[in-house]
Amino acid sequence: MKETLMKKTYTVTGMTCGHCAGAVTEEISALEGVESVEVDLVAGGASSVHVTSAGTLDDAAVAAAVDEAGNYQVVES
């Protein structure tokens, strides 16, 4: 039986460079079920973070992972 992959996009503020995007990617990737993370970086603005996971992700866990990565914040859309 093949797992159903879920895709969700989060808006994250505070990222300014590739290092920031890498830190956020690393923290979100560590969450259970996460298959991939892609960041569309808008330096100094609101960046899109696309997360593909096996099953539903806990938005609070994603927000906590983003916070753990540094001075970044998930913005309610």
Side-chain angles (χ1 to χ4, degrees):
M1 182 167 126
K2 185 173 167 59
E3 288 184 80
T4 301
L5 294 180
M6 310 276 291
K7 294 184 180 185
K8 186 158 186 181
T9 299
Y10 296 89
T11 302
V12 177
T13 59
M15 293 188 287
T16 58
C17 63
H19 180 267
C20 298
V24 168
T25 298
E26 183 178 340
E27 289 295 333
I28 295 174
S29 294
L31 295 175
E32 185 174 339
V34 172
E35 299 284 326
S36 68
V37 179
E38 294 179 30
V39 176
D40 292 333
L41 181 64
V42 177
S47 301
S48 296
V49 179
H50 309 283
V51 182
T52 303
S53 63
T56 305
L57 279 178
D58 178 6
D59 291 341
V62 173
V66 168
D67 183 61
E68 180 70 24
N71 194 26
Y72 319 117
Q73 183 175 2
V74 173
V75 179
E76 296 295 326
S77 46

